Amino acid sequence: VNTAVESKKSFLHEMAEKYSSYQKLIRITGWIRRFTHIARGKCQTQKETSLTVDELNETENWIIKTLQAENFSPEIGYLSKHIKGDKLQCPPLVKQLNLDLRRGKLVCVSRVTTSDLEDTAKCPILLPSRHPLTNLIIQKCHEEKQHVGINSVVAALRQHWWIPQLRQMVKTVIKICLKWRKMKGKPYERPPIP
């Protein structure tokens, strides 16, 4: 008798493993969401043949909220009830990262809130460190920055996202990138003369 129990992966986890890029994941999820809205009668049949920018933004927000709900449910529960005045024991991550709920998303309130930076840099969105979707976001940033090194990708990601153990995650994702390995590689050495 096999007593090993496989943990069931969520829809988002399976989708992130299935598709090779973050943009493709957003587009396909957007089409699925549009189909379900039409099938349930929540919206009229749209004549447009492609997704609108609003639909893509709503899909990306839904993906982030779903990802956070799967991975940070105690923190979200504490912050949503704490606003109402309930006294609950504070999860350690809320204190360590100074978490807050803004527009339904967990953000890390940083010490630079009075600076001239963008709002996303002042309060980056929290993502789990070991998730295929996080890997896709790191890969997207690495490709957008023209396959630069680890420090540049970390700096670019910190402008919008807060990922625990980010440097290790970037190293693992970049190590797979063939273009980066070619650029990082050593020049060809001539074999010794016999």
Side-chain angles (χ1 to χ4, degrees):
V1 176
N2 188 2
T3 59
V5 178
E6 292 184 25
S7 61
K8 186 173 180 176
K9 295 180 182 178
S10 68
F11 167 77
L12 196 56
H13 196 280
E14 288 181 6
M15 292 287 284
E17 285 180 339
K18 186 174 183 178
Y19 298 107
S20 60
S21 75
Y22 182 63
Q23 293 299 338
K24 188 183 288 187
L25 174 73
I26 289 175
R27 275 190 245 110
I28 290 171
T29 309
W31 282 110
I32 292 170
R33 285 174 48 89
R34 180 190 274 186
F35 174 77
T36 56
H37 283 276
I38 291 171
R40 291 180 181 166
K42 290 184 179 179
C43 67
Q44 305 298 329
T45 305
Q46 297 192 4
K47 296 177 183 176
E48 295 144 5
T49 58
S50 61
L51 294 171
T52 64
V53 174
D54 290 338
E55 286 177 313
L56 291 173
N57 288 337
E58 288 173 10
T59 301
E60 186 174 15
N61 285 334
W62 178 83
I63 286 173
I64 298 302
K65 287 177 185 178
T66 305
L67 178 66
Q68 287 182 340
E70 290 173 0
N71 293 284
F72 302 113
S73 57
E75 290 81 5
I76 292 172
Y78 171 78
L79 289 171
S80 62
K81 290 179 182 171
H82 181 68
I83 292 171
K84 297 174 186 173
D86 291 349
K87 300 222 177 196
L88 297 172
Q89 185 175 0
C90 181
L93 201 58
V94 173
K95 286 182 182 177
Q96 290 171 356
L97 299 178
N98 196 15
L99 295 180
D100 191 20
L101 262 179
R102 296 192 182 167
R103 294 186 208 119
K105 292 186 246 179
L106 273 176
V107 297
C108 303
V109 181
S110 65
R111 294 178 287 180
V112 293
T113 53
T114 58
S115 70
D116 293 334
L117 296 172
E118 294 181 22
D119 289 338
T120 57
K122 292 178 191 177
C123 302
I125 298 170
L126 179 66
L127 293 178
S129 59
R130 305 279 180 219
H131 197 278
L133 182 66
T134 307
N135 290 344
L136 290 179
I137 291 172
I138 293 170
Q139 178 186 357
K140 174 187 166 233
C141 181
H142 176 64
E143 290 169 359
E144 284 177 352
K145 297 294 176 186
Q146 303 299 316
H147 302 277
V148 293
I150 296 167
N151 292 335
S152 300
V153 174
V154 168
L157 283 167
R158 290 253 166 92
Q159 294 295 315
H160 192 68
W161 311 103
W162 185 264
I163 304 168
Q165 302 169 350
L166 178 60
R167 190 166 300 279
Q168 290 90 355
M169 293 292 300
V170 170
K171 283 180 185 178
T172 58
V173 171
I174 287 181
K175 215 178 352 175
I176 300 168
C177 177
L178 187 60
K179 286 185 181 180
W180 183 77
R181 287 172 54 193
K182 284 181 181 178
M183 288 190 303
K184 187 83 172 164
K186 297 177 182 175
Y188 176 74
E189 293 182 11
R190 188 173 64 176
I193 298 173

